[in-house]
Structure formats: structure tokens, C-alpha cells
Amino acid sequence: MMIGVPKEIKDHEYRVSVTPEGVRALVQAGQEVIVETSAGIGSGYSDQEYRQSGAQIAAAKEQLFRQASIIVKVKEPQLSECPLFRPGQILFTYLHLASLPELTKALLEAKVTALAYETIEAKDGTLPMLKPMSEIAGRMSVQVGARYLEKTQGGRGLLLAGVPGVEPAKVVVLGAGVVGSAATRIAVGMGAQVTVINLDIERLRHLDDVYQGRIVTRASTQAAIEESVVGADLLIGAVLVPGARTPKLVSRALVAKMKPGSVIVDVAVDQGGCIETTRPTTHSDPVYMVDGVLHYCVANMPGIVPRTSTHALTNVTFPYLLKLASSGVDAAVRADAGLAKGVNLFQGKVTCRGVADAHGLRFDPLM
């Protein structure tokens, strides 16, 4: 198969889906690769490096889409790219379709087979391709939140760690999965007062053991959420329901009760966000104010640390890409039930229940 690597066009998205090293390995395995010109520049890879690895360079995106059987990306296609798809083409990328009705419709009309990184499961039930970006976004969330707590950024004017004689800022993390655990690690390291709220008590028990009393853990109840959120200086949204829209745990009314100048970073924005006032923003225009509370809801946070995130992502996506290219989708998903869970759309049908439920569409099981 011809594997196409287009240049990402989402706002300030500098990652690339395949590195020159990945191209070399694909070519050695008997595959052909075509890379859009400048696709790797944001991550520090030149067209010449791709050529030396055995890739063809496409001068235009239209040429790449016309020639490639598999389109492998980092982020979901933008609506302007959808007319370039053709029936039967394979799309392999982060999709988050449950929060994107227009994109879902466009890809259904294009009759592509769309595999979502974020719903592919490993044998142990974990989400191997979501994990590295969740780790990065979780760590970045506290770094970003600390910056926006500065008065010049519109925040309360707090130093996250405080100083002797002045208490540190209060950080509340909703969720104790990969994002929440990563955020907790950085917040504790920066000296904040950290509260983590989660449904799974075993996850809270694990974090309590790790931090040995340096964080507060609370079971997820409405009362615990309300009490903690009202006192928060920085609220991190870190909730995930794989393939489905994220439940709204924090209402608009509760946001209005937060302290003026406090900050919300909703990492769950890709799946709709876990806070009622969440709406997607971009790196060009990352924040907005609701009821005196600063919101940062950028849907591709790792895109601005591409050297780190491209390597972290391609480490886990490459084996699956090679499997798809070598065997084809049908054989690959028959041989790997976890990979089959990544098929969200199949030639005009919705094969992910979470996506179907989110948009009121018919669900057609893949197998």
C-alpha cells in the first residue's frame, strides 16, 4: 500500500505522523511512503531527510491524497481536507468523533474506513496510543495553569508553590487516569496543594500510596466536586470515557461560584469537555473568560511541544501502521480485537457505539 503522510493544518499543530526513521522502516518492510512537502518541518525533519529515508515528496496535498491508500495523520482531518478523501481509503489518526458531528458526517459521506488512535486497545485493556499524549497534556496542564494564574495573563496573581509564610495555590484534578496522574505529578512537584477526585477508589489508593499523604484524594460525588471546585485556584479536567462524549461534572452555576481569576484547564475538551462552560480553543486564541474564571481549552495541547510528542506518538503508532499496511484492514482487525476497536467508521457506517450514541446515528458492529 502507498502510505500518505500529510502536513497537519490544525492551528499551531507541529507534530508529524511518521518520522524519517519510521519511513525507513516502512520502506524496508516493502511499503511505499509519500510525504507532503514540509510535513515534518515543525518537528525538526526536513524533506531531504524523508527523501533519504526512501519517501516520495508530494508538492501538494491533493497529490498525496490521490496516490495514497492509507492516510496517516496526528489530528483529525479539517473539514477542508474531507473532499480529498475517496471511498475505501483508510484514515489512521486521532479522531474524537463523539464531539465532532460535522466531521463525522463528512467522513461518512466520503465512505472512508477511519481508525481512531484513541479507541484502540492493548491486550490488557489499556489505550496505548492515547497514553503518551495524555501524559504530555496532563503535565502541560499544570504548567499552562500556573502561567495563567499570573495577573498579567488575567489570573488571580498566584504563585503555584507559594512561599514561606504564604500558602500555595489549590489545584483540583478531576480524574485519576493517565491525564490526571500526570497533572498530579507536576502539581505536587511544583509545590501546590493538590486534591484529586475520581470514581475508582483503587486509583485514589494508588496515588495516596505514591504521594504518601502529600495529596488529598476524594471519591467522586457531587458534594465532593462542588466543595473542591469552589475552593480551587486551578481546576484540571481530566475525565475520559473512551470513544464517547465526556460527562459534564461541573455546571455553569458551579463555575460562577469559583474565585475571580481562578483558572480552568479542561484537557477533556477533545471529547466535549467535563465542564459545562468548556468550548474548544486554539493555540492562537487559547483562553476566554466565563463569570470571571479563565478557561484554557486547547484541543491539541501537545502540538506545541512537537519534538517530544512526535517521538512519543510514533513510538506507539508505528507497529499498528505497519500491521495495517502489511495485512490490510480486514486481516489486521480480524487478527487483533484491540485494533478492531479502533475502527470508528467503515465505508459509510458507524462502527463505534460511543460515536453513534453521541450523534443519534445507527450503530453497525464491525464484527
Side-chain angles (χ1 to χ4, degrees), residues 89-112:
Q89 207 164 30
I90 300 164
L91 171 63
F92 191 43
T93 188
Y94 286 118
L95 282 171
H96 301 288
L97 292 177
S99 62
L100 298 169
E102 290 185 15
L103 179 60
T104 302
K105 180 182 177 183
L107 293 176
L108 284 171
E109 290 175 350
K111 290 183 167 54
V112 299

Side-chain angles (χ1 to χ4, degrees), residues 38-53:
S38 302
I41 293 297
S43 293
Y45 301 117
S46 68
D47 288 352
Q48 183 60 24
E49 288 177 273
Y50 281 105
R51 284 194 189 94
Q52 291 173 346
S53 297

